[in-house]
Amino acid sequence: MEDVLPGGPGDGTVRGGVWSDLSGAARDVVQAGQVLGGVHFHGPAPVSVEVPVPRQLPGDVSGFVGRAAELAELDALHSSDGRDGVVPVVVIAGTAGVGKTSLAVRLAHRISGRFPDGQLFVNLRGYDTGPPLAPAAALERFLRAFGVPAPAIPAGLEERAELYRSLVAGKQVLVVLDNAATVGQVRPLLPGTAGCLTVVTSRHRLSGLAVRDGARRITLGMLAEQESADLIAAATRGYRTGDDPAQIAELARLCARLPLALRIAAERAATHPLLALPELTAQLRDESTLWEALSSPDQEEADAVRTVFAWSYRT
């Protein structure tokens, strides 16, 4: 029997047997004269790509003292902001050595559970003796942290910022930008949607972030007298005994109640338990021995400390 198969070459042509034609694209095709039962196609299982969840926060500060009011204010800012779609940005400002980074890290650890999609941290080195970290380099680090392979990272700053904002869109990510010197260092690193929190530390007010990006600013002052004494006592506990509270208070005053100065002086007192506090305070009163008394034996760290204190004392 011959079949007339329309749709073949020369429609209406009488052909013998069975004729088939395939046009277009198909993933799986079977051609058979007779099929009994079902036809099953087996292929590789779909591959799920797991996106890394960055956890970049440095360790929490040991012996953290004070700043209860600032922590409460920062916590309240995060709880209330962001509901109207505005990306929350908080700037912690203050002079060198006042404890901005310590406060930011303490806050980040307190609220990290609210950001299950990741916590990013970068030191922008805005006040180092060397060049600051460019925002394009910071973005490259963030993109790598989210699993973007090196060949897929764009070359330009704007393109990197666009890809970064796309990756964090709809996510809950905490971003800590430490030691920012300018608004230009910060703005490309800000997420573009609500749900994220960006914490910036700087010696400057970075007013442009408040004007254009709705940032809230907290300016840190010196520690209170009792908090300063508590920090010294906590840092020397187990190393020294019998120090007069009045002498501890005097040492704190000579350190200008700056947390960094207090920790360095306390470390010197702890490592020289036979050195009486009046002797150490006498060294601090003598401006010619100030840097030696407050410097670590490590030369690189000592140079950094000198830079920090030159800034703070001149201010």
Side-chain angles (χ1 to χ4, degrees):
M1 178 179 180
E2 295 181 337
D3 298 323
V4 177
L5 300 177
D11 287 352
T13 305
V14 177
R15 303 178 63 88
V18 178
W19 175 85
S20 61
D21 186 22
L22 175 67
S23 62
R27 192 186 70 175
D28 302 303
V29 177
V30 172
Q31 180 172 349
Q34 186 177 19
V35 177
L36 300 177
V39 177
H40 303 277
F41 297 98
H42 299 277
V47 178
S48 61
V49 179
E50 184 176 354
V51 178
V53 178
R55 308 289 187 195
Q56 297 183 343
L57 295 180
D60 200 358
V61 181
S62 175
F64 187 89
V65 171
R67 307 302 191 193
E70 289 85 352
L71 282 169
E73 183 178 356
L74 288 166
D75 197 53
L77 284 176
H78 170 62
S79 299
S80 60
D81 283 0
R83 296 178 182 177
D84 57 356
V86 177
V87 179
V89 182
V90 174
V91 176
I92 301 175
T95 191
V98 80
K100 301 180 296 296
T101 299
S102 296
L103 178 61
V105 171
R106 170 54 60 99
L107 171 70
H109 279 280
R110 280 170 56 118
I111 64 175
S112 61
R114 306 179 194 175
F115 301 93
D117 298 313
Q119 300 101 43
L120 299 170
F121 181 95
V122 65
N123 180 3
L124 296 177
R125 302 199 301 264
Y127 305 99
D128 284 11
T129 54
L133 183 68
L139 283 169
E140 180 177 0
R141 293 185 185 184
F142 286 174
L143 293 173
R144 287 177 178 270
F146 279 111
V148 179
I153 296 178
L157 172 61
E158 290 187 6
E159 291 80 3
R160 289 184 179 185
E162 290 167 357
L163 178 57
Y164 165 67
R165 291 193 295 267
S166 298
L167 287 175
V168 301
K171 291 184 171 65
Q172 293 173 296
V173 177
L174 175 62
V175 183
V176 181
L177 308 176
D178 194 27
N179 290 317
T182 65
V183 172
Q185 270 190 299
V186 172
R187 187 165 283 139
L189 309 180
L190 298 179
T193 56
C196 299
L197 173 65
T198 304
V199 179
V200 184
T201 72
S202 178
R203 297 181 196 173
H204 295 94
R205 295 171 61 85
L206 302 183
S207 298
L209 292 179
V211 172
R212 176 174 163 183
D213 304 285
R216 300 290 296 272
R217 181 173 54 247
I218 290 182
T219 302
L220 287 189
M222 310 308 177
L223 287 175
E225 290 185 7
Q226 187 57 53
E227 291 174 338
S228 301
D230 290 344
L231 191 155
I232 293 176
T236 57
R237 186 175 295 121
Y239 299 98
R240 301 177 62 94
T241 58
D243 286 328
D244 185 347
Q247 294 174 355
I248 294 178
E250 175 67 6
L251 177 60
R253 186 187 68 79
L254 290 173
C255 290
R257 305 200 314 274
L258 284 168
L260 179 58
L262 293 165
R263 288 185 179 277
I264 295 172
E267 172 62 17
R268 182 170 178 82
T271 55
H272 297 79
L274 300 181
L275 178 67
L277 284 187
E279 185 176 345
L280 179 58
T281 55
Q283 293 176 1
L284 294 179
R285 286 192 187 95
D286 185 353
E287 186 175 354
S288 64
T289 62
L290 175 65
W291 306 129
E292 181 180 354
L294 289 181
S295 294
S296 161
D298 180 84
Q299 187 59 41
E300 182 177 351
E301 184 176 348
D303 290 341
V305 169
R306 290 186 181 96
T307 302
V308 166
F309 275 89
W311 176 282
S312 297
Y313 274 85
R314 288 169 188 167
T315 301

